[in-house]
Structure formats: structure tokens, C-alpha cells
Amino acid sequence: MIILNETSVINSMDDGESQLEVGYNDLIDMMKYSGGSAEGFLKNASRQVHLNYDADTDMGELERELRKRGFEKPADALNKQIALLNSGTDSALITAGATANILSVAPADPSSGWSVSANSFAASVRIPFTIIFGQQTGRLASDEDKTDYAKRGMSRRNGFLSTLIKEFVNQLITLKVIQPLVNGTLTLKWSDLLAPSQSEKIELMLKMSDVNVKAQQSMGIPVFTPNEIREVGGYEPDPDLEDIDIEEVEIDKTDSEKSDTTEKQEQPYTDK
């Protein structure tokens, strides 16, 4: 039996703790913020009506009339009328000696409290807020979060996941599900999560080419060879593009300078 218990020190079912335990209360708070705000909007939309009767209204006569119509209390009749009012968009409420007002409150903005709980939960599971909940306004901060999360992912691959996979493969070999390893060594190769994207590779190639142009203008030799630039972009080296030998270029440059000096010395002097 293989136990998947990353937080356990001794890899036992009785050891370790849930990774969601620390941030569990933050998840509950987030649900309360969003659910409470939705409940407030719902109550405002339900049109809770307050009826204010005038001082001249005979409440006794009104209660007797309602009892004749089958209602034990005046509130039952009013609740039925208000329920009919809220059941449709074109319903009407007819009153005599009473003023109807809508009971409503300004709903609070839950974003500030929700964001605090969300950031606290993200910190408890060690995952950046922008990775869990999506792209936010600050692009630079988001790029840094992606880099940090990629580093954590690579560390987890090389640690817990590599050990787990090797243990799983050894278990399959023990059960004779797969053939034993030839040399007895299992090597895992993971992709680089920090590898630049294709657009970033092209941008690096442009920068290297720009460095070559400036180096050629100032020193007479490029810094990078064409194949080095191609490798940065993820392309195979081109055999036709041989690496530039800097020493030969410097020798050719020195020989050309000596040749120019010799030609100047051989030119006859003319007195004007």
C-alpha cells in the first residue's frame, strides 16, 4: 500500500495534517461574505412592504371586515396581498387610509472583507492569490507570482513527487507488473516550468542580435554566434553557420591595419 501523505514526517496515515486545515475558516468566511451579500440583495429585491395607517383609520372596523372574509388576523390578509404583489411585475396594492413604503437597506460591499479572507487562504496553502483567482490589475506582480509558484512546483516535483513515483514503480516491479530496471536506477526527467515562452525566446533573440550589432560597430566583432542565437530561440544549430573564431577575426583585423599603415608609408611625398 502506498500512502499519499505529503505533510507526514514518517509517511504514516496517523501523522501529518490536512493542507486545508489552516485556511478552512477563511473559506467559511468567504462563503459568508458572498452569501450574506447575495441574501441582502435578495431581501431588497423582494419588496418588503411597510403599511402605515392614518390616525383616523378605524382598526376595529377593519379587523371585523377582514374576519367576515375569512381572515383571523389583519396581518394574514395584508401578507396575502403583499405576496400577490411580489409574485408579479404588474401587480397592484390597493389601500384605504394607509401608506405603503418599501423597507430596504443599502447592501454593504463584500469585496474588501472577501479579499482579506481570500489572501489569507492563499497564504495558508502557499499559492499566490493571482494563481488561484485569476489575473488581476498588476501584471508585474502576477508575473512574479507565476515565477514563485513555478519554483515551488519544481521543488515539489524533485522532492515529494519523485520519491512517490519511484516508490510506485518499485511496487509495480515487486508485483511483476512491469519488467525490472536494466541497471537498477530510475531517473525522472521533468520539464522546466521556468522555461521562457516562444514569444520570450524571440525577444531574447532580438536582444542578442541588437548586442551583436552594437558590438560589431564598437569592437569590430560580434558577441554571439548565429548558432548561439538560434539555440536560445529553440532552433537546431545550422551547420552552414559556423561559429565565429574571435582570434582569427582579431588577427585579420591587425593584418589589415598593418597593411593600411604600409600603404600610407609607401605613398610618395608631394610638395604643394
Side-chain angles (χ1 to χ4, degrees):
M1 180 177 63
I2 299 177
I3 301 175
L4 304 180
N5 192 352
E6 188 173 0
T7 59
S8 174
V9 179
I10 59 176
N11 197 24
S12 172
M13 295 181 63
D14 300 328
D15 187 34
E17 60 183 14
S18 173
Q19 294 186 350
L20 298 178
E21 181 178 355
V22 178
Y24 178 77
N25 289 333
D26 295 318
L27 292 176
I28 298 298
D29 292 340
M30 291 166 61
M31 182 181 67
K32 290 179 180 179
Y33 281 119
S34 59
S37 176
E39 187 71 19
F41 280 104
L42 176 62
K43 288 185 177 181
N44 277 343
S46 65
R47 294 186 297 186
Q48 294 177 340
V49 182
H50 168 257
L51 294 177
N52 183 24
Y53 282 92
D54 298 337
D56 298 334
T57 303
D58 189 353
M59 299 300 298
E61 180 63 25
L62 177 61
E63 183 175 358
R64 287 190 295 271
E65 183 64 26
L66 293 176
R67 287 182 181 278
K68 293 179 182 179
R69 299 186 181 185
F71 297 101
E72 296 182 0
K73 299 179 180 179
D76 296 337
L78 295 177
N79 288 334
K80 182 179 180 180
Q81 291 296 321
I82 294 173
L84 293 174
L85 173 67
N86 291 331
S87 63
T89 57
D90 56 352
S91 302
L93 178 65
I94 301 174
T95 61
T99 303
N101 298 313
I102 302 297
L103 295 177
S104 62
V105 294
D109 184 12
S111 59
S112 58
W114 187 90
S115 298
V116 172
S117 297
N119 279 281
S120 179
F121 172 74
S124 68
V125 294
R126 295 184 298 168
I127 301 177
F129 177 90
T130 53
I131 300 297
I132 300 178
F133 300 101
Q135 176 72 21
Q136 301 298 312
T137 54
R139 180 172 179 79
L140 180 60
S142 178
D143 291 341
E144 293 176 354
D145 289 340
K146 290 179 181 178
T147 302
D148 181 73
Y149 189 58
K151 291 180 180 179
R152 178 171 177 252
M154 294 179 65
S155 176
R156 187 170 183 268
R157 283 178 171 183
N158 297 326
F160 173 74
L161 293 180
S162 294
T163 303
L164 177 64
I165 293 174
K166 291 179 180 179
E167 183 179 354
F168 178 70
V169 172
N170 291 331
Q171 188 73 14
L172 294 179
I173 295 175
T174 303
L175 298 175
K176 297 182 180 180
V177 178
I178 60 177
Q179 295 294 329
L181 301 175
V182 177
N183 55 0
T185 303
L186 176 61
T187 302
L188 300 178
K189 184 177 181 180
W190 300 96
S191 60
D192 188 4
L193 298 178
L194 297 175
S197 62
Q198 189 62 31
S199 60
E200 292 174 341
K201 292 179 181 179
I202 297 298
E203 185 177 355
L204 289 175
M205 294 177 67
L206 291 174
K207 291 181 179 180
M208 294 174 69
S209 300
D210 185 54
V211 170
N212 270 0
V213 171
K214 294 180 179 179
Q216 186 73 35
Q217 293 175 352
S218 60
M219 299 183 296
I221 56 173
V223 177
F224 307 105
T225 64
N227 280 334
E228 287 176 343
I229 298 178
R230 288 177 59 86
E231 290 178 0
V232 170
Y235 300 98
E236 294 293 333
D238 190 350
D240 297 333
L241 300 175
E242 297 181 356
D243 295 340
I244 299 176
D245 193 341
I246 298 178
E247 294 182 358
E248 293 181 359
V249 174
E250 291 179 348
I251 293 174
D252 294 340
K253 182 180 179 182
T254 304
D255 292 342
S256 62
E257 291 177 353
K258 290 181 179 180
S259 177
D260 293 341
T261 304
T262 304
E263 290 179 357
K264 291 180 180 179
Q265 291 177 354
E266 291 178 354
Q267 290 180 356
Y269 175 76
T270 305
D271 188 4
K272 295 182 179 180

